[in-house]
Amino acid sequence: MLSAKAHYGLKAVIYLAKSTGQGSIQAKEIASTQSVPVRYLELLLSQLKKARLINSNRGKLGGYYLARPASSISAYDVIIALEGRITFISSHESSDKDRIDMAVTTFWKQAEDSLVEYLKQSSIEDLLQKADLNEQMYYI
């Protein structure tokens, strides 16, 4: 299971994507609009910056912004920057004699591969469009 880091990190990056063209966005604005503790968010933003997914400006008008277009940042990029490798099971070696164990291990590996592929295909732009669609639905 992924931790809150992935959840909050995705929310922050989607918010930055939504704010593209408005200049740098301060961490406290992201934190307040996305219900994330600001100190925790600052740690996540630091990791995302280290991974070169976002950039920042210093100073009174400083803040954060996407390092590249939202269409070229995947959910996988964000999660890997914050969580590291995604894995459902530890490096467990099956013995050739235990076919059930081997079948279960293969099952989890295929599920992991499917999830990774889905995350790689899901861009921040895609997630932003889903968020915008959800916002529009509330106004109907």
Side-chain angles (χ1 to χ4, degrees), residues 123-140:
S123 73
I124 297 303
E125 182 176 56
D126 295 336
L127 293 170
L128 177 59
Q129 288 174 356
K130 288 178 184 178
D132 286 344
L133 178 62
N134 288 337
E135 282 182 18
Q136 291 172 4
M137 288 176 63
Y138 290 118
Y139 296 113
I140 294 175

Side-chain angles (χ1 to χ4, degrees), residues 20-87:
T20 297
Q22 298 177 19
S24 299
I25 307 299
Q26 293 184 344
K28 64 183 177 183
E29 178 183 336
I30 301 168
S32 68
T33 60
Q34 299 307 304
S35 302
V36 180
V38 71
R39 293 226 188 259
Y40 187 62
L41 179 65
E42 288 171 343
L43 294 172
L44 301 181
L45 293 171
S46 174
Q47 287 181 270
L48 293 167
K49 185 176 176 186
K50 190 175 186 180
R52 297 186 174 140
L53 298 176
I54 64 172
N55 287 325
S56 65
N57 291 326
R58 293 181 183 217
K60 186 176 180 179
L61 298 176
Y64 296 90
Y65 58 96
L66 294 182
R68 55 185 201 251
S71 62
S72 71
I73 300 172
S74 70
Y76 180 80
D77 295 331
V78 175
I79 292 168
I80 290 301
L82 298 172
E83 299 276 357
R85 186 175 180 270
I86 297 171
T87 183

Side-chain angles (χ1 to χ4, degrees), residues 103-124:
V104 171
T105 300
T106 301
F107 167 79
W108 285 120
K109 180 64 178 134
Q110 289 171 340
E112 180 183 306
D113 292 346
S114 295
L115 175 62
V116 166
E117 188 58 34
Y118 177 73
L119 294 172
K120 285 181 177 180
Q121 291 177 5
S122 300
S123 73
I124 297 303

